[in-house]
Amino acid sequence: MNRGAPKSAAGTEPAFLAACRRQPVPHRPIWIMRQAGRYLPEYRALRAKVDFEALTRTPELAAEATLQPLRRYELDAAILFSDIMTPVQGMGVELSFEPGPVVREPIRTDAQIEALPALLAARDVPFVLETIRLVRAAAPSGTPLIGFAGAPFTLLCYLVSGRPSKEFAAARSFLYEQPQSAERLLLRLADAMAEYLAAQAGAGAQALMLFESWAGLLGAPEFTRFALAAVKRTAAALRRLSVPLIYYVNQGSHLMSAVAGLDVDVIGVDWRSGLAEVRRVLGPAKAVQGNLDPAALFAPPEELRRQVDGVLEQAGSTPGHIFNLGHGIWPDTDPDAVARLVDYVHERG
Ligand code: CP3
């Protein structure tokens, strides 16, 4: 059964989209980063039959993975099932998922950067656009679909370091050793992700999210020069579309004043930041998304409710808050804890 989000009054905008635009909402919208994934037995059953990459490249299966969490929970949005590295593969970069992305030949030279072709989404990743069309046809009405991409600097981290890492030392030293090369790579990625996200919106995505998962590696000056400059370019290219833009900044408490000037609708933050302070620094022109610690889903039910109360108190009553975790849900989370979380957030209103 498709449960979908709690009903809004007929003809009104879904709560998730209204909150992105800082409009009043009938209930606090909630969705969960990595809501389609290994904590769900039905996702593990899909993965037992097909590897992750095949799952992302087969529209019927990627659509099924996207829809799985919506059947279990009254979520206020769906997020496309894919990966931030999928469009980079479409640009000819060879990589495998082990399970994190491992790039066969990390990008370190100007020749490699110059050789990266522009992305043409309909030609290079048609299966992503088809997945979006299938999800839109099948999702419960009133549950918007979020399209996404990696933010340019986060993609650079994987492309230069070549694999997941705590420090991303190779990527971070690249910024200092070869700053012009880094800027050229970021520029190409910024344009490719603008094209990719515009194509997703064209196929039916109703909001677009950029994941800056490794923002916290940088101090404010380098974040501003490299990561923010690139994401500004992507955001500017998408402004002509009428879909809300979300920029997720992981471990970015020290970057909020830099991010305040970015022309997007929503800033997503992790649990290390207090939402009251984030909203004060960002000002009234931004909505916020977050930021329960994924570890809080392991608390007893009563303590989980207290933790949710804490996030809601921090977020305050000014319109423009989307409830989420501060980062992706952990694979060993109890699916029943997610049900309790979603129901309690809606109950609180
Ligand atoms: O949120 C969702 O439900 C949509 C699906 C989604 C995936 N990856 C599926 C996935 C999304 C939005 C992403 C984005 C992504 N991918 C990010 C940004 C979000 C974040 O977590 O900060 C990053 C950094 C990646 C890169 C990546 N892909 C890593 C680090 C890993 C391994 C870590 C892990 O979770 O295992 C992946 C693989 C990946 N992407 C999996 C899933 C469900 C696991 C693959 C599997 O099923 O074996």
Side-chain angles (χ1 to χ4, degrees), residues 30-349:
I30 175 172
W31 69 278
I32 291 168
M33 286 191 272
R34 293 278 173 106
Q35 65 191 19
R38 285 161 296 179
Y39 75 105
L40 288 178
E42 55 271 35
Y43 175 82
R44 293 198 298 271
L46 256 187
R47 278 284 280 101
K49 289 187 261 174
V50 37
D51 68 30
F52 175 70
E53 199 177 326
L55 194 48
T56 61
R57 289 175 167 268
T58 312
E60 291 73 21
L61 299 180
E64 170 60 19
T66 305
L67 294 166
Q68 281 179 343
L70 304 187
R71 298 199 184 100
R72 260 189 196 255
Y73 312 117
E74 293 195 334
L75 293 159
D76 290 278
I79 182 159
L80 168 70
F81 187 81
S82 187
D83 195 81
I84 58 168
M85 298 305 282
T86 302
V88 179
Q89 274 182 310
M91 293 164 78
V93 175
E94 285 184 52
L95 59 92
S96 51
F97 291 93
E98 305 178 13
V102 178
V103 178
R104 209 161 85 111
E105 286 179 40
I107 295 184
R108 307 271 167 87
T109 68
D110 286 337
Q112 285 173 297
I113 295 167
E114 295 312 319
L116 268 183
L119 178 78
L120 203 59
R123 178 192 65 197
D124 300 329
V125 285
F127 46 87
V128 172
L129 307 182
E130 183 57 18
T131 301
I132 291 172
R133 288 188 279 265
L134 291 179
V135 172
R136 282 300 307 276
S141 69
T143 308
L145 174 64
I146 304 168
F148 75 90
F153 170 71
T154 290
L155 296 175
L156 176 148
C157 286
Y158 287 106
L159 289 173
V160 174
S161 280
R163 53 173 61 242
S165 150
K166 269 209 169 65
E167 291 276 359
F168 286 99
R172 210 136 50 85
S173 46
F174 186 68
L175 301 184
Y176 292 90
E177 274 174 6
Q178 302 181 64
Q180 274 93 25
S181 306
E183 282 173 338
R184 268 199 295 278
L185 176 55
L186 288 167
L187 194 85
R188 283 186 183 239
L189 293 169
D191 289 345
M193 293 312 112
E195 148 69 16
Y196 184 51
L197 290 171
Q200 290 186 37
Q206 292 144 293
L208 298 170
M209 175 151 161
L210 281 153
F211 282 94
E212 197 74 276
S213 301
W214 308 123
L217 293 171
L218 301 179
E222 281 64 42
F223 174 80
T224 302
R225 173 173 177 190
F226 296 105
L228 190 61
V231 93
K232 269 189 178 159
R233 187 174 167 98
T234 306
L238 296 168
R239 257 332 190 191
R240 64 188 166 80
L241 307 174
S242 58
V243 293
L245 273 181
I246 307 170
Y247 184 44
Y248 168 67
V249 189
N250 187 31
Q251 300 199 35
S253 306
H254 60 301
L255 304 171
M256 287 300 114
S257 56
V259 159
L262 180 67
D263 188 15
V264 298
D265 301 280
V266 186
I267 299 295
V269 297
D270 71 277
W271 63 93
R272 298 168 188 85
S273 316
L275 284 179
E277 173 67 5
V278 167
R279 297 197 88 171
R280 190 187 66 73
V281 177
L282 292 177
K286 296 266 188 297
V288 292
Q289 178 171 279
N291 67 345
L292 185 74
D293 187 341
L297 285 164
F298 293 76
E302 214 171 291
E303 176 60 20
L304 175 59
R305 287 196 293 273
R306 264 198 297 275
Q307 293 290 330
V308 170
D309 291 342
V311 171
L312 291 172
E313 192 184 314
Q314 282 281 323
S317 54
T318 310
H321 174 231
I322 299 142
F323 202 102
N324 205 317
L325 303 184
H327 203 173
I329 188 168
W330 292 351
D332 53 344
T333 307
D334 175 3
D336 291 340
V338 177
R340 289 194 289 272
L341 168 66
V342 173
D343 291 346
Y344 186 61
V345 169
H346 285 153
E347 208 178 291
R348 281 286 319 263

